[in-house]
Amino acid sequence: MTYKCQLTDEKCAAQVSAYSPLLPVVEYEDVRFQGSFRDKNQYKGQPSPQLDAAWDRITYVAQIKIEPEEMIPLRKPFSQVRVEESEGVGYAGGIEVFHQLHCLNIIRQFTYHDYYASLLHKPPAFTDTNDTLRLHIGMSIPHRCAE
């Protein structure tokens, strides 16, 4: 007897991903990106309001409430920020991929430091201390960046 396995995106994600209470609500979409250096897309190129708007659409890090019972399977410490609201106690969290994209965007902006350090184009991360900026980009910031 032969069985045909129907492995859906959801079942595959559940098997290869770390636990997340969000897995059942994730929607999948197949997108083919052109990764060649010379190919153009909305996420690369010289700094511009259009480029920044494209990155802003994918780097919004919304805070979500994590229920106390989700903290153990998530392997998160209970010392995380506790949130109390009318619907009960929870913990502050976010979707990791958006935080990673946010940090990648800061690295992208840092490569155009002269443009983004100007008051006209300064992103919120560039108003942080150098220590906080280092946490985002994971590198030593030259002294000239302290303004």
Side-chain angles (χ1 to χ4, degrees), residues 95-106:
I95 301 173
E96 185 66 21
V97 68
F98 296 113
H99 183 244
Q100 292 169 352
L101 286 169
H102 159 80
C103 292
L104 181 62
N105 188 36
I106 293 172

Side-chain angles (χ1 to χ4, degrees), residues 126-144:
F126 278 50
T127 61
D128 288 337
T129 66
N130 277 348
D131 288 339
T132 300
L133 192 53
R134 278 187 195 100
L135 291 172
H136 279 94
I137 64 176
M139 62 181 278
S140 177
I141 299 174
H143 181 69
R144 71 176 178 87

Side-chain angles (χ1 to χ4, degrees), residues 41-44 48-59:
N41 68 54
Q42 64 182 327
Y43 301 107
K44 63 186 203 181
S48 70
Q50 296 80 14
L51 180 65
D52 291 334
W55 276 92
D56 286 347
R57 284 191 295 275
I58 63 170
T59 58

